[in-house]
Amino acid sequence: MHTRLLGFAAAVILAVLGFMSPAAQAAAPAVDAPTCQAGKGTVEYNSATGLWTCIGGEHDGEPID
């Protein structure tokens, strides 16, 4: 009985985490390249994440849309 309860709790936790992860990614602010450069930043490719990112300036660290 305890095994079933533990398995059910684990399934619920994984379902909640799976539901929340796309929402967290969508909530990240994104700028376009001209906006990044107008804010005194540079557009650089981050090979670790596979994403283009604004480095420096007003939009430092924001992903490029």
Side-chain angles (χ1 to χ4, degrees):
M1 182 69 177
H2 292 293
T3 306
R4 288 184 185 174
L5 183 61
L6 184 60
F8 179 74
V12 169
I13 290 171
L14 289 175
V16 168
L17 290 175
F19 177 74
M20 292 176 56
S21 64
Q25 292 173 356
V31 297
D32 58 2
T35 303
C36 172
Q37 293 169 338
K40 307 291 186 218
T42 59
V43 178
E44 296 183 15
Y45 182 73
N46 184 343
S47 61
T49 62
L51 300 172
W52 290 90
T53 308
C54 185
I55 304 298
E58 297 175 21
H59 304 283
D60 186 37
E62 293 184 25
I64 300 297
D65 186 24

